[in-house]
């Protein structure tokens, strides 16, 4: 490996460091008797790697999760029972992890201590302290079976980086996601408390292995084959992680992915480390170098064609990126200094069996051309993957042009000067043995920041075609049982093929161990392209939207005045149009010139026309793919451009039934589509065809077109007599070279800048400007045409003439000459009369028999055409009648079914009306019955109320009488007791409580008196008791009557409520019954 070529060049980039004198990393070349260059040998001795005979190394690693989760994450670690026993006999006391078979070669274990981490906000959890062993692979030959743990790493063509710190690893779900990778870098960097100093060995071949080494003993700690590494990423500048990098690798099985994070003490070395990873994916160092003269490519089945397109986007200040302008004539991009940019690469395979692009490993950029690999600078990848249509693989990277290494393409360059820029993309293709690099060299011009930039109508890109010739590998030649099927035989770009030059290195560079420099041919100059015999593709040439401020102001004032009165053209308009309409204003100006400012009815008509069938659909479809194939908007089959173009051509073929679609109309429609929407483009096309008389050229067997040819020849005879005589001598007639000029208005073969200017002139002055442009073309090419013969002249019109005007300067001179030529309409009318007179004279001079035969042939052809049309119409008529008969039968059947349904509906309507009347009558009866019941209930309620009132009055009267009687009785009793108490005899007979007591005083004289008095008192007492009993009886009878009345009142109230409920229930049930029956009939 040439160490000087790869790291000897010192770069001022902040992303890479390439010096052998650095103490941070050195390049180790393992070749016998090979030493570094003399000027730095002593430094290498000081900074070289030292090997110590030491049995182990303390390795602290940050894990995530519990011990079981860590065990799962490290399931590919091999455990040696003897070493595990030794580790367990120490102070650790923890049981080792179970062994997992993965490697066949013997391994040596070194005790590893896993330090716990503090729980943080991220997904990393604290771990208990564990004692584990990690396999360390010492250097060994392929045929050796045993090795010593202190043996250095095996000899391998690699770059070794020291003074690195391993921060740990973690599982990731999206191994190719830059966002997730940066997040894990941030987490591991912030939470790692016990980082490990390591040395990193990165191989220079795709079959190699990335190794982690102990910086003291140079023994291997872990290794990761290159084919298992999926993605590399570095921390962004200006963040805490800018000195870190990481790579993701496929773990024990394809479903588990891990990310390993490192920190570099000298942050500038990070870019160089990532560049070394990119180098590892290029061509193997032990492959035979390609021959200085690659074998000629043949279109065999082993040639694979790729188209690689480069697109540059700039920040537009609105939160998005827009494609920059590209001058296709000069093959250069126009950039603005100091603005963030994006590089977008599109890779598409266009032939042979499809090869699967697995991933992009690096996107690199450098100013200049013929750049060495070591001078390329790695860009930050933003995205990679298939495009939305699945046709191409798209890689996007961010480019900060303000860094020192890109100073050459970030400084303003003069308008007449261009600088080169080299872009490279490294791709890993599944079926190929090694990755490949597609390299594009383009010209750029850095414009002034104050220069006005108009963004183009569609994306601008530089495209190069590459031819990759492969050789199928025999099974025994394959190094592994992978999908590798081919090895690269030769590679060649389309530019190299066209220039017929062979180079020492193809344009797809594969890293070689012997040499890393190759020469890439620059794109051909305009003169070189003009020398080849290939005609200029239609739609070629870029039209810039840049315009001077004064011109824009002039046009702005003119348009403001014009809009005030659209029926009258402003006087300065013709002079301005002859100088060319600004590209940014062409869409509006063309519509105004054509008189399409009030075309709403035609817009609606267009939307109707595109829905109809066109009899010329096949011809339109065939021509669409051949219209402007060099323009980005129309080159994609089935794209938006071709779809809009198809609609316009189809709509016109239906709109103009007499002419229909004619070959060449698609070019004019495409020119209009580049400046306005479909509807407006259709309106302008109709105006050009009808109002400007272009459709007259297609009528009457192109009779008017032949008249135009005659007029052109007469004008040549007047303005360019020597060229006219030369064409007569070589028998070159106008229709042989000018047919496309008139039928397509120069849109088919000439560059777009010139085409647009011609359309400006034509819409302003009329179709006669074709003569001005044609005479200008013939005048400017007069000297060359006078030296040609018949075939040379035809070829000159087909190839060199259109290519000559790819330059805007040449096209401007031509249009100035065309505008300066004065061709009066009177003169054209005169030539037209001469043509018709000549045609009549020819017809008269022609022999009658020949004339009649010719006329007969014409009539026969017309008759055959008419008969064919008649047959077609008859067939169409029969088909239409059959279709109409079928439609009529279907309509009659449908009518019968509808009539039956109508009769059924009418009958249902009659039944419904009867039911409605019945329900109305029943409803009226129910209302009447309800009213009667309500009146009856109200009368009963009034009656019962009056009875209740009377009962209450009687009860109150009886209560009052009873109270009075009781009061009177009480008074009388009190009087009697007073008398009894006042009488001595009676006091003896009665106690204080009122009970009668027996007095045993025997007085013989008064016994009889006492008995009589006693009898009278008893009688009075009985009378009083009887009266009291009668009063109580009356009271009881009154209470009974009250209860009886209350009972009757309750019964009356219940009867009223029952009567109400019974009527309401009957009414509701009747209504429900009627409603249910009606619903069933309706359903």
């Amino acid at each position: 490996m040439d160490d000087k070529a790869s790291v000897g060049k010192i770069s001022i980039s902040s992303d890479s460091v390439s010096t052998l004198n650095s103490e941070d990393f050195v390049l180790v070349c393992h070749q016998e008797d090979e030493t570094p260059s003399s000027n730095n040998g002593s430094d290498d001795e000081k900074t070289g790697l030292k090997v110590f005979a030491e049995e182990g190394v303390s390795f602290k690693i940050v894990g995530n999760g519990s011990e079981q989760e860590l065990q799962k994450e490290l399931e590919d670690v091999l455990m040696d029972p003897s070493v595990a026993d030794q580790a367990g006999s120490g102070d650790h006391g923890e049981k080792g992890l179970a062994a997992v078979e993965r490697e066949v070669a013997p391994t040596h274990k070194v005790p590893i201590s896993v330090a716990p981490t503090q729980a943080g906000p991220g997904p990393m959890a604290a771990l208990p302290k564990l004692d584990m062993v990690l396999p360390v692979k010492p250097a060994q030959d392929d045929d050796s079976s045993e090795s010593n743990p202190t043996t250095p790493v095996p000899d391998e063509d690699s770059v070794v980086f020291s003074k690195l710190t391993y921060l740990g690893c973690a599982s990731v779900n999206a191994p190719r996601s830059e966002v997730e990778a940066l997040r894990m870098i941030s987490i591991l960097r912030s939470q790692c408390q016990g980082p490990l100093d390591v040395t990193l060995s990165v191989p220079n071949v795709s079959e190699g292995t990335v190794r982690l080494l102990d910086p003291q003993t140079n023994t291997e700690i872990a290794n990761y084959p290159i084919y298992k590494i999926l993605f590399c990423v570095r921390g962004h500048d200006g963040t805490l992680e800018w000195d870190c990098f990481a790579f993701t690798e496929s773990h024990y099985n394809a479903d588990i992915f891990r990310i390993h994070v490192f920190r570099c003490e000298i942050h500038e070395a990070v870019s160089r480390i990532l560049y070394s990873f990119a180098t590892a994916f290029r061509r193997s160092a032990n492959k035979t170098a390609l021959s200085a003269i690659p074998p000629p490519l043949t279109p065999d089945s082993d040639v694979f064609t790729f188209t690689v397109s480069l697109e540059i986007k700039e920040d537009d200040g609105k939160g998005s990126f827009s494609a920059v302008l590209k001058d296709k004539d000069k093959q250069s991009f126009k950039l603005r200094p100091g603005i963030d940019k994006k590089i977008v690469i599109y890779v598409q395979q266009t032939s042979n069996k499809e090869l699967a692009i697995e991933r992009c490993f690096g996107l690199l950029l450098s100013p200049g051309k013929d750049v060495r690999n070591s001078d390329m600078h790695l860009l930050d990848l933003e995205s990679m993957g298939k495009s939305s249509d699945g046709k191409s693989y798209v890689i996007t990277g961010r480019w900060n042009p303000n860094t020192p290494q890109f100073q050459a393409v970030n400084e303003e360059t003069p308008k007449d000067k261009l600088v080169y820029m080299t872009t490279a993309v490294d791709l890993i293709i599944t079926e190929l043995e090694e990755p490949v690099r597609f390299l594009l060299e383009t010209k750029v011009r850095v414009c002034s920041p104050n220069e006005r930039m108009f963004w183009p109508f569609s994306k601008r890109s530089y495209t190069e075609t590459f031819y990759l010739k492969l050789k199928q590998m025999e099974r025994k030649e394959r190094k592994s049982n992978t999908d590798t099927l081919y090895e690269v035989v030769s590679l060649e770009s389309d530019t190299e093929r066209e220039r017929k030059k062979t180079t020492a290195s193809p344009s797809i560079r594969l890293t070689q161990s012997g040499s890393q420099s190759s020469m890439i041919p620059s794109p051909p100059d305009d003169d070189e392209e003009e020398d080849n015999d290939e005609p200029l593709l239609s739609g070629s040439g870029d039209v810039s939207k840049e315009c001077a401020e004064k011109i824009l102001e002039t046009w702005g004032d003119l348009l403001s005045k014009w809009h005030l009165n659209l029926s009258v053209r402003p006087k300065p308009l013709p002079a301005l149009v002859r100088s060319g309409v600004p590209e940014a204003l062409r869409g509006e100006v063309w519509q105004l010139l054509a008189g399409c400012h009030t075309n709403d009815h035609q817009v609606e008509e267009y939307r109707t026309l595109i829905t109809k069938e066109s009899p010329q659909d096949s011809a339109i479809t065939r021509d669409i793919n051949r219209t402007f194939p060099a323009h980005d908007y129309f080159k994609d089959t089935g794209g938006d451009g071709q779809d809009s173009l198809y609609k316009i051509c189809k709509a016109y073929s239906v709109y103009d039934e007499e002419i229909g679609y004619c070959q060449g109309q698609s070019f004019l429609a495409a020119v209009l589509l580049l400046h306005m929407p479909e509807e407006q483009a259709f309106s302008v096309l109709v105006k050009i065809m009808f109002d400007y008389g272009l459709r007259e050229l297609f009528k009457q067997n192109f009779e008017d077109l032949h008249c135009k040819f005659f007029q052109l020849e007469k004008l040549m005879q007047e303005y360019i007599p020597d060229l006219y005589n030369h064409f007569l001598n070589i028998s070159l007639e106008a229709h042989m070279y000018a047919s496309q000029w008139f039928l397509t208005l120069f849109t088919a073969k000439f560059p777009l800048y010139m085409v647009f200017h011609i359309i400006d002139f034509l819409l302003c002055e009329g179709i006669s400007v074709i003569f001005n442009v044609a005479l200008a073309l013939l005048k400017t090419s007069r000297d060359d045409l006078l030296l040609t013969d018949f075939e040379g002249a035809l070829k000159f019109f087909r190839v060199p003439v259109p290519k000559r005007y790819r330059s805007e300067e040449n096209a401007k001179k031509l249009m100035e000459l065309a505008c300066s030529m004065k061709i009066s309409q009177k003169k054209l009318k005169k030539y037209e009369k001469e043509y018709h007179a000549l045609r009549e004279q020819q017809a008269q001079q022609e022999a009658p028999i020949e004339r009649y035969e010719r006329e007969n042939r014409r009539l026969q052809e017309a008759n055959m055409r008419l008969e064919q049309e008649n047959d077609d119409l008859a067939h169409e008529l029969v088909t239409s009648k059959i279709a109409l008969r079928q439609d009529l039968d279907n309509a009659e059947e449908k009518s019968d079914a509808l009539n039956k349904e109508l009769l059924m509906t009418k009958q249902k309507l009659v039944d419904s009306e009867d039911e409605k009347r019945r329900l109305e009558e029943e409803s009226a009866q129910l209302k009447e019955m309800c009213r009667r019941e309500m009146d009856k209930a109200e009368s009963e309620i009034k009656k019962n109320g009056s009875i209740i009132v009377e009962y209450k009055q009687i009860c109150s009267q009886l209560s009052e009488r009873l109270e009075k009687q009781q009061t009177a009785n009480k008074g009388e009793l009190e009087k009697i007791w007073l008398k009894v108490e006042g009488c001595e005899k009676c006091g003896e007979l009665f106690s204080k409580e009122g009970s009668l007591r027996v007095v045993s005083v025997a007085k013989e004289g008064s016994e009889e008196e006492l008995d009589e008095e006693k009898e009278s008192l008893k009688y009075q007492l009985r009378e009083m008791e009887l009266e009291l009993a009668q009063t109580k009886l009356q009271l009881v009878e009154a209470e009974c009557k009250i209860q009886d009345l209350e009972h009757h009142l309750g019964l009356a109230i219940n009867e009223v409520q029952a009567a109400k409920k019974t009527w309401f229930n009957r009414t509701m049930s009747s209504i429900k019954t009627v409603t249910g029956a009606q619903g069933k009939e309706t359903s």
Side-chain angles (χ1 to χ4, degrees), residues 361-499:
F361 191 72
L363 181 60
L364 301 100
L365 186 70
S366 177
K369 64 176 182 177
D370 302 330
V371 180
R372 292 187 300 177
N373 292 336
S374 59
D375 295 336
M376 299 292 290
H377 304 284
L378 195 66
L379 301 181
D380 291 333
L381 285 176
E382 185 176 88
S383 64
M384 67 180 79
K386 286 276 189 179
S387 60
S388 57
D389 57 3
K391 294 181 180 179
S392 58
Y393 193 86
V394 185
I395 305 102
T396 304
R398 280 189 174 272
W399 170 23
N400 180 12
N402 297 318
T403 52
Q405 62 266 31
F406 298 122
Q407 185 177 1
V409 289
N410 197 37
E411 295 178 343
E412 183 180 350
T413 54
K415 288 190 176 182
D416 56 345
K417 182 181 178 182
L418 298 173
V419 295
Y420 278 91
M421 182 182 75
T422 302
T423 309
V425 58
D426 295 329
L427 295 179
I428 303 212
I429 302 176
T430 303
E431 293 87 348
L432 299 189
E433 185 180 11
E434 299 118 8
V436 294
R437 169 176 287 187
F438 290 92
L439 189 141
L440 304 170
E441 291 182 341
T442 56
K443 300 175 184 177
V444 298
R445 183 172 76 84
V446 184
C447 305
S448 170
N450 300 324
E451 186 173 346
R452 293 177 62 87
M453 300 286 286
F454 291 92
W455 299 115
F457 179 78
S458 59
K459 295 180 181 178
R460 306 301 184 194
S461 60
Y462 169 75
T463 303
E464 183 68 273
T465 303
F466 295 95
Y467 301 93
L468 175 64
K469 187 169 185 179
L470 305 177
K471 174 186 175 184
Q472 191 162 3
M473 299 176 63
E474 298 293 337
R475 184 170 295 274
K476 61 182 179 179
E477 296 178 358
R478 301 179 190 174
K479 297 190 176 182
S480 61
N481 295 325
T482 61
D483 296 333
T484 302
L485 300 174
Y486 304 99
E487 63 177 347
V488 178
V489 176
S490 63
L491 302 124
E492 191 176 19
S493 69
D494 193 42
T495 302
E496 292 170 331
R497 280 190 165 188
E498 289 180 358
R499 298 182 65 187

Side-chain angles (χ1 to χ4, degrees), residues 752-764:
L752 291 181
Y753 180 86
M754 175 179 167
V755 169
F756 295 165
H757 202 159
I758 292 172
I759 300 299
D760 296 340
F761 196 19
L762 180 139
L763 290 173
C764 184

Side-chain angles (χ1 to χ4, degrees), residues 333-376:
F333 288 98
K334 289 187 177 181
L335 308 180
R336 291 185 294 177
I339 297 178
D340 288 342
K341 298 175 176 63
K342 285 186 180 181
I343 300 293
V344 185
I345 301 289
Y346 301 87
V347 182
Q348 182 178 357
Q349 184 179 344
T350 58
S351 70
N352 216 322
K353 171 182 172 289
E354 184 176 3
L355 301 177
I357 299 177
E358 183 178 341
R359 65 181 182 275
C360 168
F361 191 72
L363 181 60
L364 301 100
L365 186 70
S366 177
K369 64 176 182 177
D370 302 330
V371 180
R372 292 187 300 177
N373 292 336
S374 59
D375 295 336
M376 299 292 290

